[in-house]
Amino acid sequence: MCGIAGWVSFDRNLRAEQETVDAMTETMSCRGPDDRGTYVSGPAALGHRRLAIIDLPGGRQPMTVENERGTYAIVYSGEAYNFTELRKELASRGHRFTTDSDTEVVLRGYVEWGEAVAERLNGMYAFAVWDEPRQRLVMIRDRMGIKPFYYYPTSDGVLFGSEPKAILANPLAAREVTLDGMRELFAFVKTPGHAVWEGMHEVEPGTVVTVDRSGLRRHVYWQLRTQPHTDDRDASVAHVRELLDDIVRRQLVADVPRCTLLSGGLDSSAMTALAARQLGEVGETVRSFAVDFVGQTENFVADDLRATPDGPFVHDVARESGTDHQDIVLDSDALADPEVRKKVIRARDIPAGFGDMDASLYLLFKAIREHSTVALSGESADEVFGGYKQFFDEEARTAETFPWLVNFARHFGNDESALDPDLLRRLDLSGYVQDSYRTAVAGIERLDGESDFEYRMRRICHLHLTRFVRVLLDRKDRASMAVGLEVRVPFCDHRLVEYVYNTPWALKSFDGREKSLLREATADVLPKSVYDRVKSPYPSTQDPKYAVALQQHGKELLSRPSHQVFELVNRDWLKRAVERDTPQITQASRHGLERTLDLALWLEMYEPTLKLS
């Protein structure tokens, strides 16, 4: 796992721009603390920061390959889990390898198959190849969007990077955010290709972007397609297990210490148990880590989202699977620390508004990094197998909007009143959401003979797999790579996603519960307590001291009446929020405070030009 950056300018010789290339590359130092390198040749410059995972001495980048046609150079972030098979195939075609790294396999795969190499890869990846013989840059992103990848077209080429900060380090990139960017920031709809920053775009998942002297072209090499499902229940359960065993085995491959993220839920418990069983076969013990909060288990209060604390279930799994387990216990002071908030915003490049859940994720990963370099996560199983409440809630199922927004409104309330009223009117978030929803569902294919109910559930699954999951994947990648930790997501293997997506909802929920297929496929490795447990989201602190700290930070912000944040935030709302008695702070108010503080720090750190007229 690494960080990449680059610049192609067909009207320049970029050897004269080494300082800027270095500056772009260095913004990725957290993603790649182990090594750095740049490649500059005429109109192309590639930068790389390396987190060494496989072939520690041999996988340095940028990497080049030469043949009779010329030179090919790559900067690559991610992992190809099938690189061993591809290496054998390429060797049979005459390629001679000089390293044991998957990077060289991907580069030689490009030399052999061109951009069609993407169709052969199983993994998470974002990479750019400078094809010197054709004088073109080829950018490729994995199917699910696990690894981030951004680009910024210029008058004579393109800037690119793993994160926006790499692009923003180049003077050609304007630090502008318009109303449209603000809409994307606040709406929680994850428009494909949208990057919030004006002029910047994401390389969309499953997409190849090619840039040459004639311009920029996009080609979609993978998308979620509707196919008939012919397996019965037993065969479906068996195939899911077969896939999971293969996926976990592939994703445990690393030349550095690895571990699992364990929450005590079905997803992470199943993945941890499978990893423990496989490593146990070769005499190894898996390490597992869980996040917890001071006093959370002892003082836990059940609510509509979380019926039980994670701790007891975590320890059941650790005990039954024999993991070397450690709880990372956080207190409210750490969660509310403005310095932690700054680090989270720097990691995300935007004020994402996840509050203590972002802070705890960052602090969890920071602590894990002291022991491991690679972690396996249960992320995305809810989207793949149907785990969220909105999959079962009739109002969310039938609403003509993104179903998670219905669930959010019910459980967290509406915090739009925290925004400046005039800005809120200009944003027209409801209109933006409706336009986005209509676009999102327009291309979802219906199976011949599919019932109205099954098609509606297919649409809900599709929305979660192409919109909602990308928010969470980006969050996890940014928080982990900010501390140089590679997080792998077995449930995002495209083979599993394709298979389960096309499984009818009646099979996905055959026992009337969430994630029926996953539960049955892994029943033999799960403690009964976890098998029976109801879905519980990522934990959030219940300590009232956290809300008190938010209020205090809000008061400090009010003491700076000229702060730019008041172009975005309702000052009167903030005054009321910080003066409330702490027990009266609603979820919406707490989230509004977190969003306000994030916005203020983001404006200070990035100094964006806001164009909101």
Side-chain angles (χ1 to χ4, degrees):
M1 196 75 75
C2 307
I4 66 175
W7 182 6
V8 170
S9 176
F10 291 107
D11 294 342
R12 307 179 192 226
N13 184 335
L14 292 182
R15 290 189 181 90
E17 303 288 351
Q18 186 69 51
E19 184 176 347
T20 299
V21 174
D22 288 342
M24 295 174 68
T25 303
E26 288 312 298
T27 64
M28 297 290 95
S29 59
C30 288
R31 296 185 71 91
D34 297 330
D35 198 8
R36 71 171 303 280
T38 59
Y39 169 90
V40 183
S41 177
L46 309 179
H48 188 264
R49 290 290 314 217
R50 186 184 184 206
L51 177 63
I53 302 293
I54 292 175
D55 188 11
L56 306 191
R60 298 193 69 189
Q61 298 185 48
M63 186 177 288
T64 59
V65 163
E66 295 186 7
N67 62 17
E68 67 281 359
R69 295 190 296 271
T71 301
Y72 304 82
I74 189 173
V75 281
Y76 171 82
S77 170
E79 305 292 344
Y81 301 124
N82 63 335
F83 79 97
T84 301
E85 298 98 308
L86 290 176
R87 182 187 177 97
K88 290 178 181 176
E89 183 177 357
L90 288 164
S92 72
R93 290 170 174 261
H95 290 265
R96 297 294 174 261
F97 289 85
T98 60
T99 75
D100 294 324
S101 70
D102 60 336
T103 303
E104 186 179 3
V105 172
V106 174
L107 178 55
R108 290 188 179 275
Y110 174 82
V111 173
E112 180 69 28
W113 299 302
E115 62 187 48
V117 66
E119 300 167 20
R120 296 172 177 263
L121 297 176
N122 176 309
M124 55 179 188
Y125 45 85
F127 62 92
V129 175
W130 173 243
D131 185 332
E132 186 270 336
R134 296 181 179 86
Q135 289 288 287
R136 68 175 186 175
L137 181 76
V138 179
M139 298 179 282
I140 299 177
R141 190 177 182 196
D142 66 68
R143 295 170 179 84
M144 292 295 291
I146 305 167
K147 302 313 299 173
F149 203 177
Y150 295 83
Y151 67 98
Y152 187 103
T154 64
S155 61
D156 68 335
V158 72
L159 311 172
F160 69 86
S162 291
E163 301 177 6
K165 61 176 65 69
I167 293 169
L168 296 173
N170 190 302
L172 293 178
R175 292 178 175 241
E176 293 181 358
V177 178
T178 65
L179 274 175
D180 197 53
M182 285 293 173
R183 292 182 183 110
E184 186 65 21
L185 187 63
F186 295 140
F188 210 85
V189 297
K190 198 64 178 80
T191 304
H194 208 302
V196 175
W197 297 94
E198 185 68 10
M200 194 183 298
H201 310 272
E202 281 189 320
V203 177
E204 293 185 33
T207 299
V208 180
V209 177
T210 304
V211 182
D212 59 22
R213 292 182 183 275
S214 64
L216 183 148
R217 295 178 299 284
R218 300 176 187 85
H219 164 65
V220 176
Y221 71 88
W222 183 88
Q223 56 187 327
L224 204 53
R225 303 304 298 263
T226 296
Q227 301 289 342
H229 184 84
T230 57
D231 291 344
D232 63 15
R233 188 174 88 180
D234 289 344
S236 297
V237 169
H239 189 60
V240 167
R241 177 56 177 269
E242 179 184 350
L243 285 170
L244 287 174
D245 282 337
D246 180 66
I247 292 163
V248 170
R249 183 171 289 107
R250 289 176 182 275
Q251 297 200 19
L252 283 172
V253 174
D255 295 334
V256 293
R258 60 244 196 268
C259 67
T260 66
L261 307 178
L262 179 58
S263 71
L266 174 61
D267 320 333
S268 66
S269 299
M271 180 268 304
T272 295
L274 291 175
R277 175 173 289 191
Q278 291 184 12
L279 289 179
E281 293 171 356
V282 294
E284 293 186 49
T285 299
V286 69
R287 296 200 68 161
S288 61
F289 294 89
V291 67
D292 201 357
F293 308 107
V294 174
Q296 183 94 331
T297 300
E298 300 83 355
N299 303 302
F300 182 81
V301 178
D303 58 29
D304 289 343
L305 283 180
R306 301 174 179 89
T308 52
D310 289 345
F313 300 92
V314 165
H315 298 150
D316 285 351
V317 175
R319 185 167 47 252
E320 186 155 319
S321 292
T323 74
D324 179 5
H325 181 74
Q326 181 176 343
D327 290 328
I328 306 300
V329 183
L330 307 173
D331 60 31
S332 293
D333 289 340
L335 295 173
D337 186 350
E339 289 305 312
V340 173
R341 190 177 295 277
K342 284 181 183 177
K343 289 184 169 104
V344 169
I345 292 170
R346 179 67 69 187
R348 300 290 295 273
D349 291 314
I350 56 173
F354 278 77
D356 72 298
M357 292 189 291
D358 264 353
S360 65
L361 193 67
Y362 170 83
L363 292 169
L364 170 66
F365 290 155
K366 183 180 179 184
I368 291 173
R369 186 62 176 88
E370 297 177 7
H371 309 279
S372 297
T373 311
V374 170
L376 270 64
S377 165
E379 191 77 87
S380 308
D382 287 307
E383 291 80 5
V384 174
F385 289 97
Y388 294 116
K389 283 183 177 291
Q390 57 263 26
F391 283 94
F392 296 86
D393 180 83
E394 192 62 22
E395 181 185 357
R397 281 173 165 178
T398 57
E400 291 299 315
T401 190
F402 296 100
W404 54 87
L405 297 182
V406 176
N407 199 36
F408 288 175
R410 177 179 300 130
H411 295 289
F412 301 115
N414 188 339
D415 68 347
E416 288 184 3
S417 56
L419 297 176
D420 176 79
D422 183 55
L423 173 64
L424 195 57
R425 177 187 56 77
R426 282 177 282 148
L427 287 172
D428 183 20
L429 291 177
S430 61
Y432 185 75
V433 168
Q434 281 305 300
D435 288 346
S436 183
Y437 175 76
R438 284 191 287 268
T439 299
V441 299
I444 301 175
E445 302 163 309
R446 184 169 187 167
L447 198 64
D448 289 343
E450 194 167 43
S451 71
D452 290 345
F453 174 75
E454 281 287 352
Y455 179 55
R456 177 164 288 279
M457 296 312 298
R458 178 183 295 280
R459 285 169 50 165
I460 290 174
C461 292
H462 194 283
L463 291 172
H464 280 82
L465 289 166
T466 58
R467 296 291 189 108
F468 190 74
V469 75
R470 294 177 187 177
V471 176
L472 301 184
L473 289 173
D474 186 71
R475 170 179 176 258
K476 186 148 286 182
D477 175 90
R478 302 296 196 87
S480 62
M481 293 307 294
V483 297
L485 176 71
E486 174 175 297
V487 173
R488 299 177 178 178
V489 279
F491 292 110
C492 274
D493 185 292
H494 71 278
R495 298 169 299 163
L496 182 68
V497 172
E498 291 170 343
Y499 184 78
V500 179
Y501 171 67
N502 282 299
T503 303
W505 182 251
L507 265 181
K508 286 190 181 79
S509 59
F510 64 77
D511 59 1
R513 300 183 60 190
E514 75 281 1
K515 295 179 284 193
S516 306
L517 284 174
L518 176 60
R519 184 177 293 102
E520 286 307 305
T522 56
D524 62 309
V525 296
L526 292 173
K528 187 176 187 306
S529 61
V530 173
Y531 181 90
D532 292 336
R533 190 186 186 194
V534 175
K535 161 70 183 174
S536 184
Y538 182 86
S540 177
T541 181
Q542 296 183 340
D543 188 348
K545 292 179 183 176
Y546 177 72
V548 171
L550 292 179
Q551 287 180 301
Q552 181 57 42
H553 297 324
K555 290 175 183 177
E556 293 166 5
L557 188 57
L558 283 167
S559 71
R560 302 161 64 189
S562 61
H563 198 292
Q564 190 182 11
V565 75
F566 294 112
E567 295 179 27
L568 307 175
V569 170
N570 184 337
R571 191 191 308 264
D572 292 335
W573 176 91
L574 183 57
K575 287 178 181 177
R576 293 192 298 272
V578 301
E579 290 169 359
R580 283 194 182 95
D581 290 338
T582 302
Q584 296 177 358
I585 294 180
T586 63
Q587 284 286 351
S589 293
R590 177 168 141 170
H591 187 239
L593 282 167
E594 290 172 328
R595 172 183 279 179
T596 296
L597 297 172
D598 282 357
L599 283 168
L601 283 175
W602 174 66
L603 291 168
E604 294 169 18
M605 295 163 63
Y606 283 80
E607 299 181 336
T609 299
L610 302 181
K611 296 190 172 181
L612 306 179
S613 56

